[in-house]
Structures are given as C-alpha cells and as structure tokens.
Amino acid sequence: MSTPNPQRTEFDPIALGDREATLLVKSILIPRPIAWVGTVDDGGTANLAPHSFFTMVSEAPPIVMFSSTTRKDTLTNVEATGQFTVSLVSRPQFEAANQTSAPYASGVSEFEAAGIAPEPSAAVVPPRVADSPAVLECVLESIIPVGGNFMVLGRVVHVAVDTDTLSTDARGRALPLADRLDPLTRLGRNEWGTLGEVLAIDRPTVG
C-alpha cells in the first residue's frame, strides 16, 4: 500500500467538533442542489425555505429527500399537513432565495416577506413559486431523525415545468434542458454556484 499523499491536510472530525467538521464537509460536497420547500401551517400561512441537503432517493415511485437542520417551521408544517412543494431555484431567484433563509418568526410568510409571488399547486395545498422554472409537488412518505437533523422523504405526485425549458429527445420524451433551467446550487462558506459547463456521455456497455 502506498503512503498517504504528503500534499494533503488531514482532519479529525472529533477534534474539530461537529460544527467545524460540518462546515468542512459541506465545502467538499459541492455543488448541492437546492430544494426551495413550500409548506403551509395549520392556520394556512405559507412558508418558503431553501434546503441544500436535497436529492432523489427512489425511482419507483419517484421520491425526493430534503433534510431539515433541527426542528424548523418547514418540518412542523410537513408533519401537520403531509404535503410540500419543491421549487427549483434558478439564477433570477438568487437574492430572493437567500432572503427566505432569514430567521423569520413562526407565522410569517416568506412569500410575503421576500416579495415572492406564489401560485396554486395542482395536486397539493402548499403553493409553489410562480417564477420557478420547475416544481415538484410531494406528499409525505416518512420523516427519519438523523443525528440532529430530520430527513424528510416525499413522493412526487405532480411535476410542473416551464414549457420553454423542454426539448424532445431521441425517444420522443419531453425533458427540460439543464441550461434552460439555469439552476443555482450551494457550495461552501456563503458561496452559491451556477450551472457552468455541461458534459454529456452515454453509459458504457459490457461485452
């Protein structure tokens, strides 16, 4: 076995402590897609918050996951209603999405506070972001505590995509093009990322 690369700096998460270790890991796990999660509370007030611990976890049925850091309004609302929306954050929503991460008091609608126009969803009660190029409407599958976080799993029951982002592929499927969606991502520190160069390659075959 070869010796460790002397050009690396080694870190011990225990010595760093949870907060510093998490900041380090988040600066490495980049780029991270952003779930702009819309919910409603039991009084009908709409909540909107960005979550960068977000991905797809199942194909059949399609299930997505976002993680809530500690217990926040988004989590409380999903527990109460069993529904949420995920609006894609594109470049034009950069400042608005960041504003919705501010620590507003419970009962304050981030849609109103940040001046973001909502629109009705097709299959769930929580609204979606009107200017977002793509939205997933979800019903709750389960909530799993993980460390100090809560992993929220939602089954996608409806998808809405801006028509001008769609292109028909060789098999006749209408799918959005990445550059037309123009998504933003989270990086480390206070950094966000844009799409950048897109590479395409077919999967290899064996034999």
Side-chain angles (χ1 to χ4, degrees), residues 17-38:
D18 288 341
R19 177 171 174 77
E20 295 303 318
T22 295
L23 291 173
L24 177 62
V25 173
K26 288 199 298 184
S27 296
I28 295 170
L29 294 181
I30 58 173
R32 299 188 306 280
I34 302 166
W36 211 3
V37 180

Side-chain angles (χ1 to χ4, degrees), residues 26-198:
K26 288 199 298 184
S27 296
I28 295 170
L29 294 181
I30 58 173
R32 299 188 306 280
I34 302 166
W36 211 3
V37 180
T39 59
V40 292
D41 65 18
D42 53 11
T45 300
N47 178 272
L48 183 65
H51 297 263
S52 69
F53 292 179
F54 168 58
T55 192
M56 190 169 190
V57 295
S58 171
E59 294 181 344
I63 294 175
V64 295
M65 176 280 293
F66 74 90
S67 178
S68 176
T69 304
T70 71
R71 179 168 290 280
K72 297 180 179 178
D73 289 344
T74 297
L75 177 64
T76 300
N77 294 347
V78 172
E79 288 176 326
T81 67
Q83 299 180 343
F84 61 93
T85 61
V86 176
S87 297
L88 182 75
V89 179
S90 64
R91 190 191 300 240
Q93 283 97 43
F94 175 37
E95 292 184 354
N98 184 57
Q99 184 61 42
T100 60
S101 68
Y104 292 105
S106 296
V108 173
S109 171
E110 286 80 3
F111 281 97
E112 295 180 5
I116 298 167
E119 68 177 12
S121 294
V124 298
V125 173
R128 54 202 198 190
V129 175
D131 290 338
S132 173
V135 183
L136 310 177
E137 299 181 12
C138 305
V139 296
L140 179 63
E141 283 284 314
S142 61
I143 298 174
I144 304 171
V146 181
N149 287 24
F150 297 86
M151 185 168 63
V152 180
L153 303 176
R155 177 165 49 87
V156 178
V157 295
H158 186 79
V159 180
V161 185
D162 282 2
T163 303
D164 60 6
T165 69
L166 297 174
S167 177
T168 303
D169 69 5
R171 297 174 60 181
R173 300 171 298 189
L175 298 171
L177 293 174
D179 61 338
R180 295 181 187 176
L181 291 174
D182 197 16
L184 289 179
T185 63
R186 283 291 281 121
L187 306 175
R189 308 171 190 255
N190 66 344
E191 301 165 330
W192 297 52
T194 56
L195 186 62
E197 183 182 7
V198 177

